[in-house]
Amino acid sequence: LITGATISSPTAILIEDKSSTNLSCKASGSISTRVWMKDGWPLRPSGRVSFSMDNRTVFIQPVHSSNHGTYQCQVSNPVSTMTVAHNLTVNFGPHNVSITGPSAAAPGQRVTLQCTADSVPPANFSWMFNANETHVNNSMYIIERLEAESIGNYTCTARNMVTMLENSTVLNLRG
């Protein structure tokens, strides 16, 4: 019988395109096969992912945002099977910063602009209006009543405090 299956991995903070890591699958008992999965799908070798000769260890170098997720190692022999899981956190982004909201609105209307970004950990947001600071520091920018002075360029900047990267995008709001 197979017992005590574990996946071990270095505890370092992983940053996309900068860090590398490995996952090792250990278990007691006679093991005939080791199968690696990620998020429920078979894990295949790629430009970044490689395996040790005995399939005991997966090497990911360097890590990519697509490597973020749950890894499973299934160890088996003719009489038993055991599966163990390990969550791998890859810090990345912010990527794909975008603002959703109207590009034009009527005077007196309430306008909501929503900024999103793909980021682990979640990004911090800040907004500028026509290149001036706004002191709005969340993902949503609300204009209660649209006036002539509210027409112009709204810039959302997303910052990731772990990767230390930032990206921004602009929405041009017309009256």
Side-chain angles (χ1 to χ4, degrees):
L1 281 168
I2 295 174
T3 57
T6 59
I7 294 176
S8 59
S9 182
T11 55
I13 290 173
L14 301 177
I15 295 180
E16 179 177 46
D17 293 329
K18 290 195 171 79
S19 316
S20 293
T21 193
N22 61 75
L23 300 155
S24 289
C25 178
K26 300 181 180 73
S28 307
S30 70
I31 295 163
S32 45
T33 61
R34 263 191 190 85
V35 177
W36 284 93
M37 319 256 278
K38 178 182 177 284
D39 299 329
W41 297 89
L43 185 63
R44 307 239 182 266
S46 69
R48 296 171 187 259
V49 177
S50 59
F51 297 89
S52 61
M53 287 298 285
D54 58 4
N55 240 16
R56 185 186 299 248
T57 305
V58 177
F59 301 96
I60 308 172
Q61 45 206 16
V63 293
H64 182 258
S65 57
S66 63
N67 301 126
H68 182 88
T70 303
Y71 289 76
Q72 291 111 342
C73 172
Q74 185 184 65
V75 284
S76 49
N77 62 23
V79 291
S80 68
T81 296
M82 191 172 181
T83 303
V84 60
H86 179 85
N87 290 326
L88 193 68
T89 300
V90 176
N91 297 284
F92 65 86
H95 300 319
N96 306 323
V97 180
S98 71
I99 299 172
T100 42
S103 53
Q109 237 185 333
R110 186 175 195 264
V111 176
T112 302
L113 306 178
Q114 175 77 47
C115 191
T116 56
D118 296 336
S119 179
V120 172
N124 291 355
F125 296 99
S126 61
W127 292 84
M128 292 181 71
F129 171 59
N130 290 339
N132 296 314
E133 289 293 335
T134 65
H135 307 296
V136 174
N137 290 314
N138 57 45
S139 64
M140 202 171 277
Y141 191 105
I142 297 169
I143 304 160
E144 289 300 343
R145 287 177 54 87
L146 187 67
E147 293 166 17
E149 305 84 74
S150 323
I151 303 303
N153 290 323
Y154 288 83
T155 305
C156 169
T157 301
R159 286 185 187 81
N160 181 316
M161 302 320 259
V162 174
T163 64
M164 302 309 284
L165 297 174
E166 63 176 56
N167 273 306
S168 55
T169 189
V170 179
L171 179 129
N172 178 256
L173 182 64
R174 298 185 305 279

